[in-house]
């Protein structure tokens, strides 16, 4: 019998193209956005494994070679494979960022070159963060209802809000809202940044960034207390 708890994809070079194409051709801003997206998704996937009480190395078979019946073996294997994919992509992104930083600091003026080496990382992070453009992203879901006293209401979500980003989830990767559920499950009691577009007048919409904290103890069903439908 195959080793059922072994990852389904090998470690090593990135096993699939990055969503934004070759990382070497991305700008600083695009690299930073991609890096943060990968970090958020890896954190959420780690939360999925934690919810099952396993990690990347936990055996999924019994001593006599049968799949364990106390855990969802299929979901754990899928989650582990996804983590390996993302870690390979993350390594590529960080290598590319490092290359860009070396090129940047090699070209700055003498006054910048004379600054202490220990401050290079901080200056680089400011450069990356400040250069991210404020673009209006296309929404992929709509808030249909919000329960009173729920985490969704506390965060400021309202019926009719159109969701542009839910943590690392966006129109390109939401997978019929399955990734939203995954993000919520992996970030219980943690803050998720939710970007929404809200109609404030008949011809005008307002772009908002809300901090949503999924939790079970709010007194109602689910972790959010709202109903979201795909657009």
């Amino acid at each position: 019998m195959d080793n059922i708890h072994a990852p389904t994809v090998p470690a090593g070079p990135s096993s699939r193209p990055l969503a934004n194409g070759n990382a070497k051709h991305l700008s600083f801003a695009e690299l930073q956005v991609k890096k943060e997206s990968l970090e958020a998704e890896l954190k959420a996937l780690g939360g999925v494994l934690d919810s099952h009480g396993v990690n990347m190395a936990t055996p999924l078979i019994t001593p006599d070679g049968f799949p364990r019946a106390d855990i969802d073996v299929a979901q754990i294997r899928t989650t582990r494979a996804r983590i390996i994919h993302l870690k390979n992509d993350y390594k590529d992104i960080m290598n590319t960022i490092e290359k860009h930083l070396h090129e940047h600091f090699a070209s700055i003026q003498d006054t910048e070159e004379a600054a202490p080496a220990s401050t290079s990382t901080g200056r680089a992070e400011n450069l990356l963060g400040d250069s991210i453009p404020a673009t209006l992203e296309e929404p992929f879901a709509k808030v249909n209802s919000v329960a009173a006293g729920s985490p969704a209401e506390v965060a400021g979500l309202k019926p009719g809000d159109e969701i542009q980003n839910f943590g690392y989830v966006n129109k390109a990767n939401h997978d019929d809202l399955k990734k939203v559920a995954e993000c919520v499950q992996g970030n219980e009691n943690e803050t998720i940044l939710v970007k929404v577009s809200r109609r404030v007048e008949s011809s005008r919409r307002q772009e908002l960034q809300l901090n949503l904290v999924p939790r079970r103890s709010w007194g109602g069903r689910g972790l959010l207390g709202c109903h979201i439908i795909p657009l």
Side-chain angles (χ1 to χ4, degrees):
M1 176 179 287
D2 292 337
N3 187 348
I4 197 169
H5 65 271
T8 56
V9 294
S14 181
S15 51
R16 59 180 175 84
L18 288 170
N20 289 338
N22 191 331
K24 295 179 181 179
H25 301 298
L26 297 179
S27 67
F28 264 169
E30 291 169 328
L31 287 168
Q32 179 72 349
V33 170
K34 190 59 169 175
K35 169 179 171 290
E36 293 176 352
S37 176
L38 289 172
E39 289 172 342
E41 188 169 358
L42 283 167
K43 178 182 177 181
L45 291 171
V48 172
L49 293 183
D50 290 341
S51 71
H52 289 281
V54 303
N55 56 35
M56 293 294 288
T58 302
L60 304 183
I61 58 175
T62 61
D64 52 357
F66 291 96
R68 288 173 54 181
D70 59 322
I71 54 178
D72 188 339
V73 172
Q75 183 183 18
I76 293 170
R77 282 172 57 83
T78 299
T79 301
R80 285 176 171 178
R82 179 66 174 162
I83 288 173
I84 292 173
H85 280 306
L86 294 179
K87 283 186 174 180
N88 290 335
D89 285 351
Y90 189 79
K91 181 179 179 180
D92 288 346
I93 285 286
M94 294 307 295
N95 287 340
T96 305
I97 287 177
E98 182 179 5
K99 182 175 182 293
H100 275 286
L101 294 181
H102 282 310
E103 292 173 351
H104 169 71
F105 289 116
S107 63
I108 59 178
Q109 299 298 321
D110 291 342
T111 54
E112 289 292 325
E113 293 176 336
S118 61
T119 64
S120 297
T121 301
R123 294 201 310 272
E125 290 175 351
N126 290 335
L127 170 68
L128 291 170
D130 293 343
S131 60
I132 298 176
T135 58
L136 300 182
E137 299 186 60
E138 187 174 353
F140 65 91
K142 182 178 181 179
V143 179
N144 192 39
S145 63
V146 177
S150 66
E153 184 185 55
V154 172
L157 280 174
K158 294 183 178 181
D161 285 351
E162 295 184 353
I163 299 175
Q164 299 165 314
N165 286 85
F166 194 100
Y168 59 82
V169 185
N170 54 43
K171 185 176 178 63
N173 67 6
H174 70 86
D175 191 18
D176 198 25
L177 302 189
K178 292 177 183 177
K179 291 295 183 181
V180 173
E182 179 183 277
C183 183
V184 171
Q185 182 182 10
N187 287 280
E188 185 175 351
N189 298 318
E190 299 287 341
T191 299
I192 300 174
L193 178 63
V194 181
K195 297 181 181 179
V196 303
S197 174
R198 177 177 299 166
R199 186 178 299 279
V200 291
E201 295 176 1
S202 59
S203 60
R204 188 169 70 89
R205 302 192 70 87
Q206 181 181 18
E207 311 297 323
L208 301 171
Q209 296 189 24
L210 308 176
N211 293 316
L212 177 60
V213 182
R215 55 189 176 86
R216 299 182 187 276
S217 59
W218 66 275
R221 295 180 59 184
L223 295 174
L224 299 182
C226 68
H227 183 225
I228 300 173
I229 57 176
L231 292 177

